Amino acid sequence: MPNRNTLTENFRKKTVSFSSMPSDRKMNSTAACMAFMMEGCEMKKVRSNSRMYNRYFLLDPDMRWLRWEPSKKDSEKAKLEIKSIKEVRLGKKTPVLRSNGLSDQFPDECAFSIIYGDNYESLDLVASTADVVSTWVMGLRYLVSYGQPSVRTSWIGSVFELADPERQGHIDLFRATQIIKGLNPGMRESRIELKFKELQKAKDCYGEGIDLDTFVEAYCELCTRPEIFFLLVQFSSNKEYLDSKDLMLFVEVEQGVEGVTEEMCREIVHKYEPSAEGRNNGYLSIDGFTHYLLSSECHIFDPQHKHVCQDMTQPLSHYYINSSHNASLLEDHYWGSSDLSSYVRALRMGCRSLEVVVWDGADCEPVVYVGSSVASQLAFCKVLDVINQYAFESSEYPLILCLVTHCSVPQQRVMAQHLKKILGDKLHVDPPNMEDHYLPSPEKLKGKILIKGKSLPSDSQDSEGEKSHSDFETSKREQKHWEICSFNEVDANRFANEFPEDFVSYNKRFLSRVYPTPMRIDASNMNPQDFWKCGCQIVAMNYQTPGLMMDLNLGWFRQNGNCGYVLRPAIMREEVSYFSANARDSLPGVSAQLLHIKVISGQNLPKPRGSAAKGDVVEPYIYVEIHGIPADCAEQRTKTVSQNGDNPIFDESFEFQINLPELAALRFVVLDDDYIGDEFIGQYTIPFECLLPGYRHVPLQSLTGEFLPNTTLFVHVAITNRRGGGKAHKRGLSVRKGRKAREYTSTKTTGIKVVDELFRASTQPLREATDLRENVQNAMVSFKELCGLTPAANMKQCILTVSSWLMNSERAQRVTVDLSGAYPTMEAHGPVPELLRKVLTAYDTMIQTSRTLIESADGVYSKLTQAQRAGLDFHEDLHRIGAREGLKGRKLQKAMESYAWNITVLKVCTYTLCYALRHVYTRALFSTR
């Protein structure tokens, strides 16, 4: 170990910044971190019998030993040598801390464990606050992995020299401030200047030029993000930077990127490392690592979804369609004026369904206006000119014009002439094919403008004029596939609540449009999720009104290249499937997923625009929201970070159960606790299907949708399969269900004997499929936990953890991995610690359950698909067979629903079995290889 003076000097050049400490003490540098540890603090020492004892822990002045007192032991025994430490684990990640007697006595973030010695013993501790834990973990990890900070300081020194061409040894305050501002665009100049002045005052050189040492120290204290430094220390082999192999591990293991090569990592270094030394030698310093994590490569949004990535050959009714209501308005219905720019804005935002309300105008020229905005009429022909110009600027897929016509017959003829003349070949005029059962696909209608309309009496006040069909069965029999129903949101809500299954079934074949009630004179918006869950394709939004509902709408339509069309979930498209819009629990046969979100920090959070509070002080807190079907809707919030908008550390983890991922959206909302007036800082909404795993930055948007420059959240995302029953936040991370307590999805009785006999025979393969899937999942969770990792970890992280234990052991321990057979094995040679032996046993159990799944899957799959095919054979005649057995009215309807439920259970169970099989190959087996 280096001597204390040298080490402390180097600590000053690596900084951390925790949000709060006991007695308002803040950790502004690693030196402060060490000083806190040397001063010591009281923590609880947890023993294997689950008893906790108060002890005073402190770091020796020479930083070679960790000691605790009082203790019955001799003081020379109540200590731990720093160099014997193998690992420092954050949270309840040892068997002792996870024991039942302790699980509810303290929060996860207040616990940590020190793994030490050749037998991997654990010193399990509980601190008073999460900040105290962060300080000890940061300090101990740094001591264990100490290295010289040469790369960074050399680069900063070269930056200073470029700014001091005369070699005077100092630069003025303004120049120094601008340099650091240029290297960190989101940082406030006032903060940089204040830091320089603080450092100069401490050195009794206040008001003089900024010398090299002050410049380096200021840069390190201002520009080092502790949460990113933690990551670098964890993944670096030398702890000062990441070489290409270190980076390769991080990108592949943490970020979940497949097919990573060293060449790819060298390209990352070349692109983001600021120092020439780092680029030439192929390693990423803390600054380069920070730049990489802030880049678009590490944004939370999957870049594959920035382009059209869904099947666009399905019928039009199988898509959600981005839709605008009263597109001409700039504001609300009462005060708002009409303007052509509103159409341009909507089209550029991806809108594919525009409402145009047309009235009789002077000189036989139809005009467009809404409500009481008569004074700001727009010529219908001018509106068409704008639509013709911008219709396909943002999307090549069909645009639907919803014409609400209040014109007399002569002016309707003028409208028709304008439509043909102005839109020309873009206007879709082909008559519908009577033999078809569905509308054409978006792919087939590329570049076409479709007209939806119905003429109204000129004195009609109904903004839509189209009546809904309260009898769905009649509509199914009599409605033509090209006809569309428009529903007032009040009626649509009633159908959603009273006939949720029927509404979903109706929307499988027909287009439906939902528009806001006329009572919304302020142009407020309805929640589109309320109608998307019913399968309604066109939910018309007031684009001129920002807020939560427009955030959901715009965020949702990003997932398919912002083309205005999003393919609906298969369970809402397939002809024979069961789905209720008001589902408040898991869906038939669907294995729900757990979304693990850790909100780590925020960057450059501005004061709310509408706030009347003085100064730049921000006290941020964050809501994490899930929007989707009722069973999925949830929200949780972080603590408030006091007086820190520059880089507030939240470090809080949340867990959400997602039953229908294809209809779920995640929303981050940042608010200010120190506000007078508006508290909104920023938000970001992302469909669940677009989430990338790992450490990600979230770009925040303003109330009106603009991205706030350099304003982000730093989060960690992991998605795992659900285990056990009940809600995720009540269940905890490590709950697993044995076979006796396991919940099996069962089929329902239809009341039709021959059909019920068929589905009854599928009960056993359904149970077998569930057991195969759950057994593998439980074995994986056990293996992860014994490795000291959460169920959100992946297999590669587990293998790397075991590998690091072996490599860091002072005693020779040999474990071989045999890849020659179909299934990999790990075997210990000679004596190994008990924990490692348990890990190897858990690994073997995982491989054996995976083997059982692989070898049994074909047979179970065959039984399930056979039952599914046999069940579908009844589909065409089910209504007639049920009637023949005396079922009618509600009983017959219930039989149809139960039949659809059973088919859905078989389909989903077959899919999840295949998914589990693929998961085993890619996660359990491939990761070992």
Side-chain angles (χ1 to χ4, degrees):
M1 294 288 289
N3 66 63
R4 182 185 174 187
N5 291 336
T6 303
L7 188 59
T8 305
E9 181 65 26
N10 285 327
F11 282 150
R12 296 177 64 212
K13 300 186 173 110
K14 289 201 168 196
T15 63
V16 294
S17 177
F18 297 110
S19 56
S20 61
M21 287 295 296
S23 305
D24 294 326
R25 181 174 181 176
K26 295 186 179 181
M27 295 292 103
N28 292 319
S29 67
T30 317
C33 197
M34 293 297 115
F36 177 83
M37 293 165 66
M38 290 177 192
E39 185 178 309
C41 70
E42 189 174 271
M43 293 187 283
K44 294 182 185 297
K45 184 173 181 282
V46 186
R47 291 188 176 172
S48 57
N49 58 8
S50 298
R51 292 184 178 179
M52 295 192 289
Y53 300 88
N54 288 330
R55 296 286 184 264
Y56 197 87
F57 288 82
L58 71 163
L59 181 67
D60 259 8
D62 63 3
M63 292 182 281
R64 299 173 67 93
W65 297 90
L66 172 65
R67 298 182 184 273
W68 55 92
E69 54 187 29
S71 171
K72 293 180 181 178
K73 294 181 179 179
D74 180 356
S75 61
E76 284 304 303
K77 292 183 179 179
K79 66 179 183 179
L80 182 65
E81 192 170 11
I82 296 298
K83 72 177 183 180
S84 73
I85 296 176
K86 306 296 184 186
E87 184 184 351
V88 184
R89 294 181 184 172
L90 192 60
K92 304 174 188 176
K93 293 180 182 172
T94 62
V96 171
L97 291 177
R98 281 200 300 267
S99 64
N100 293 333
L102 294 173
S103 58
D104 297 326
Q105 294 189 31
F106 49 86
D108 188 73
E109 60 269 20
C110 287
F112 70 103
S113 301
I114 302 171
I115 311 300
Y116 65 95
D118 288 337
N119 291 324
Y120 296 94
E121 298 174 74
S122 67
L123 174 60
D124 300 293
L125 302 171
V126 178
S128 57
T129 69
D131 287 330
V132 172
V133 170
S134 295
T135 303
W136 279 98
V137 171
M138 174 74 170
L140 288 172
R141 283 179 177 173
Y142 188 83
L143 287 172
V144 170
S145 56
Y146 172 73
Q148 294 292 331
S150 59
V151 179
R152 190 186 202 193
T153 51
S154 297
W155 167 67
I156 300 171
S158 67
V159 171
F160 181 88
E161 289 174 3
L162 287 174
D164 181 27
E166 304 294 328
R167 298 292 188 268
Q168 295 180 348
H170 60 82
I171 56 177
D172 61 65
L173 177 62
F174 176 79
R175 179 70 175 137
T177 300
Q178 292 305 308
I179 293 171
I180 292 184
K181 170 75 173 174
L183 294 171
N184 294 269
M187 194 172 292
R188 292 180 290 111
E189 291 184 15
S190 59
R191 182 185 173 208
I192 301 171
E193 289 181 2
L194 181 61
K195 175 56 62 179
F196 277 127
K197 291 175 181 177
E198 285 177 355
L199 294 174
Q200 284 189 315
K201 185 176 181 181
K203 296 178 180 179
D204 292 328
C205 56
Y206 186 78
E208 299 177 10
I210 307 298
D211 61 22
L212 174 60
D213 288 344
T214 303
F215 183 82
V216 170
E217 191 170 357
Y219 179 89
C220 289
E221 293 200 17
L222 288 168
C223 304
T224 305
R225 286 175 48 185
E227 70 277 28
I228 293 180
F229 181 73
F230 263 124
L231 285 181
L232 186 138
V233 167
Q234 286 177 290
F235 279 86
S236 174
S237 54
N238 65 33
K239 310 312 171 191
E240 171 55 23
Y241 53 78
L242 299 174
D243 62 26
S244 57
K245 289 185 178 179
D246 298 331
L247 186 57
M248 187 175 172
L249 283 177
F250 176 78
V251 175
E252 185 175 23
V253 174
E254 282 295 341
Q255 305 300 80
V257 179
E258 297 181 355
V260 182
T261 64
E262 286 194 50
E263 179 58 33
M264 291 168 57
C265 293
R266 282 192 287 269
E267 289 177 5
I268 291 173
V269 170
H270 185 76
K271 190 173 182 179
Y272 298 107
E273 172 56 35
S275 71
E277 181 183 354
R279 292 193 300 273
N280 293 336
N281 291 285
Y283 44 67
L284 209 58
S285 68
I286 179 63
D287 298 289
F289 192 36
T290 302
H291 294 163
Y292 167 63
L293 288 172
L294 278 167
S295 75
S296 59
E297 294 185 48
C298 291
H299 278 191
I300 194 171
F301 190 91
D302 186 344
Q304 291 185 14
H305 290 270
K306 292 183 178 180
H307 311 281
V308 175
C309 56
Q310 296 177 348
D311 178 8
M312 302 302 288
T313 63
Q314 302 272 336
L316 211 60
S317 60
H318 286 184
Y319 298 84
Y320 296 114
I321 303 173
N322 199 350
S323 176
S324 170
H325 178 63
N326 292 337
S328 64
L329 286 182
L330 289 174
E331 298 175 57
D332 58 46
H333 295 178
Y334 190 78
W335 296 106
S337 58
S338 298
D339 192 275
L340 291 173
S341 64
S342 298
Y343 290 104
V344 178
R345 180 172 177 268
L347 289 168
R348 283 180 167 168
M349 292 171 74
C351 179
R352 293 287 88 193
S353 174
L354 284 174
E355 181 187 58
V356 183
V357 184
V358 193
W359 304 79
D360 279 348
D363 302 323
C364 203
E365 276 295 335
V367 292
V368 175
Y369 64 88
V370 178
S372 58
S373 61
V374 183
S376 57
Q377 299 176 4
L378 303 173
F380 179 64
C381 60
K382 296 296 184 184
V383 171
L384 289 182
D385 282 335
V386 168
I387 291 173
N388 183 55
Q389 182 179 352
Y390 293 96
F392 302 106
E393 182 181 284
S394 297
S395 172
E396 59 185 344
Y397 292 100
L399 173 67
I400 301 173
L401 288 189
C402 299
L403 297 181
V404 182
T405 309
H406 298 270
C407 295
S408 60
V409 173
Q411 296 216 18
Q412 287 183 41
R413 293 195 183 100
V414 175
M415 286 177 61
Q417 293 170 2
H418 286 326
L419 286 166
K420 291 177 182 178
K421 180 180 178 182
I422 297 172
L423 301 182
D425 292 341
K426 295 176 184 173
L427 191 64
H428 182 69
V429 294
D430 296 343
N433 188 335
M434 301 296 179
E435 296 180 359
D436 288 344
H437 296 287
Y438 291 92
L439 288 165
S441 68
E443 182 68 27
K444 190 172 182 180
L445 294 170
K446 267 184 181 179
K448 292 295 183 181
I449 297 177
L450 283 61
I451 302 297
K452 167 202 170 292
K454 181 176 180 180
S455 59
L456 303 174
S458 58
D459 60 348
S460 171
Q461 297 302 308
D462 192 324
S463 67
E464 294 282 336
E466 305 205 14
K467 306 302 180 187
S468 58
H469 289 240
S470 313
D471 185 353
F472 285 110
E473 283 303 313
T474 302
S475 293
K476 286 182 183 179
R477 291 194 301 271
E478 299 180 1
Q479 186 173 340
K480 306 295 187 296
H481 69 270
W482 64 84
E483 293 180 334
I484 178 172
C485 278
S486 286
F487 300 94
N488 179 294
E489 69 171 291
V490 176
D491 291 331
N493 261 318
R494 180 167 59 85
F495 293 143
N497 292 323
E498 296 178 9
F499 314 103
E501 297 89 356
D502 292 334
F503 207 179
V504 171
S505 181
Y506 169 84
N507 285 321
K508 290 178 181 178
R509 184 180 175 195
F510 305 111
L511 278 176
S512 63
R513 182 175 187 267
V514 180
Y515 61 93
T517 172
M519 297 299 292
R520 293 184 181 273
I521 60 172
D522 61 349
S524 58
N525 275 307
M526 51 193 171
N527 188 339
Q529 284 276 4
D530 289 343
F531 307 106
W532 289 338
K533 71 180 182 184
C534 304
C536 297
Q537 300 88 347
I538 304 175
V539 182
M541 305 294 288
N542 288 305
Y543 269 55
Q544 71 274 27
T545 307
L548 165 62
M549 306 313 173
M550 272 307 293
D551 293 342
L552 292 177
N553 189 76
L554 296 176
W556 181 251
F557 284 101
R558 283 196 189 107
Q559 66 184 287
N560 194 26
N562 205 34
C563 74
Y565 287 82
V566 167
L567 190 63
R568 296 187 303 156
I571 200 171
M572 301 173 74
R573 305 191 314 263
E574 294 171 343
E575 189 173 355
V576 183
S577 62
Y578 177 87
F579 177 74
S580 173
N582 289 332
R584 296 189 178 277
D585 204 346
S586 57
L587 303 179
V590 175
S591 180
Q593 294 185 318
L594 286 181
L595 172 63
H596 308 266
I597 294 287
K598 184 175 185 179
V599 180
I600 302 171
S601 62
Q603 291 74 47
N604 308 312
L605 304 179
K607 196 72 177 168
R609 184 176 295 179
S611 175
K614 294 181 179 180
D616 295 324
V617 174
V618 177
E619 300 199 329
Y621 63 99
I622 299 168
Y623 270 105
V624 184
E625 305 170 348
I626 299 293
H627 297 266
I629 61 173
D632 293 343
C633 292
E635 68 175 23
Q636 298 195 53
R637 76 153 272 185
T638 67
K639 65 179 182 292
T640 297
V641 175
S642 178
Q643 298 188 7
N644 187 349
D646 298 313
N647 190 36
I649 302 293
F650 299 96
D651 203 35
E652 293 189 57
S653 298
F654 305 111
E655 184 182 316
F656 300 94
Q657 181 171 303
I658 311 295
N659 294 282
L660 187 58
E662 299 98 319
L663 204 58
L666 169 67
R667 184 171 184 255
F668 298 94
V669 190
V670 186
L671 303 168
D672 183 12
D673 237 358
D674 178 50
Y675 77 97
I676 301 174
D678 188 12
E679 62 173 349
F680 179 86
I681 293 175
Q683 71 84 33
Y684 186 75
T685 304
I686 178 173
F688 182 88
E689 297 286 270
C690 299
L691 287 171
L692 281 175
Y695 289 93
R696 303 288 169 181
H697 276 94
V698 180
L700 294 179
Q701 294 174 274
S702 69
L703 183 66
T704 52
E706 295 87 5
F707 282 99
L708 297 168
N710 308 300
T711 302
T712 57
L713 298 178
F714 189 44
V715 302
H716 185 268
V717 178
I719 299 170
T720 60
N721 286 80
R722 169 178 172 243
R723 300 169 309 285
K727 292 298 180 184
H729 67 274
K730 294 180 181 177
R731 191 167 62 249
L733 279 174
S734 57
V735 173
R736 297 183 298 280
K737 282 205 168 185
R739 186 170 298 184
K740 290 184 179 179
R742 189 166 289 164
E743 296 173 354
Y744 296 95
T745 303
S746 59
T747 56
K748 293 184 176 182
T749 302
T750 65
I752 303 172
K753 185 177 179 181
V754 65
V755 176
D756 287 338
E757 287 177 353
L758 168 69
F759 287 126
R760 199 175 297 121
S762 67
T763 299
Q764 187 57 32
L766 283 171
R767 291 177 68 91
E768 289 175 5
T770 302
D771 285 339
L772 288 171
R773 187 178 66 242
E774 294 287 331
N775 289 344
V776 169
Q777 192 168 284
N778 287 347
M780 286 184 174
V781 170
S782 295
F783 178 57
K784 293 173 184 178
E785 290 182 342
L786 281 169
C787 290
L789 302 172
T790 71
N794 58 53
M795 283 296 113
K796 289 182 180 179
Q797 290 170 315
C798 295
I799 300 299
L800 286 172
T801 298
V802 176
S803 176
S804 69
W805 289 354
L806 295 170
M807 289 190 295
N808 293 331
S809 175
E810 293 181 2
R811 182 188 302 171
Q813 295 173 353
R814 185 164 169 251
V815 174
T816 58
V817 179
D818 185 358
L819 302 177
S820 61
Y823 303 95
T825 61
M826 277 201 290
E827 182 181 358
H829 297 273
V832 294
E834 182 63 21
L835 176 59
L836 184 55
R837 187 165 296 283
K838 287 181 179 179
V839 168
L840 296 178
T841 301
Y843 177 81
D844 183 62
T845 301
M846 180 183 71
I847 295 299
Q848 292 307 316
T849 55
S850 299
R851 178 175 184 170
T852 303
L853 169 62
I854 291 169
E855 296 177 353
S856 305
D858 283 348
V860 177
Y861 177 84
S862 178
K863 293 175 186 177
L864 291 172
T865 52
Q866 185 177 350
Q868 184 179 321
R869 284 195 298 268
L872 286 171
D873 288 342
F874 288 103
H875 173 57
E876 295 294 335
D877 295 327
L878 191 64
H879 198 281
R880 180 180 57 80
I881 297 172
R884 189 176 65 197
E885 295 201 12
L887 299 178
K888 57 183 179 180
R890 184 58 190 154
K891 286 188 176 180
L892 182 57
Q893 179 66 23
K894 192 67 178 175
M896 302 290 283
E897 289 177 5
S898 296
Y899 168 80
W901 167 281
N902 295 341
I903 292 294
T904 301
V905 167
L906 288 169
K907 283 182 180 178
V908 174
C909 194
T910 303
Y911 168 77
T912 54
L913 180 64
C914 294
Y915 177 82
L917 193 62
R918 185 170 66 250
H919 185 81
V920 161
Y921 274 115
T922 59
R923 302 291 175 87
L925 303 183
F926 177 75
S927 61
T928 306
R929 297 181 185 276

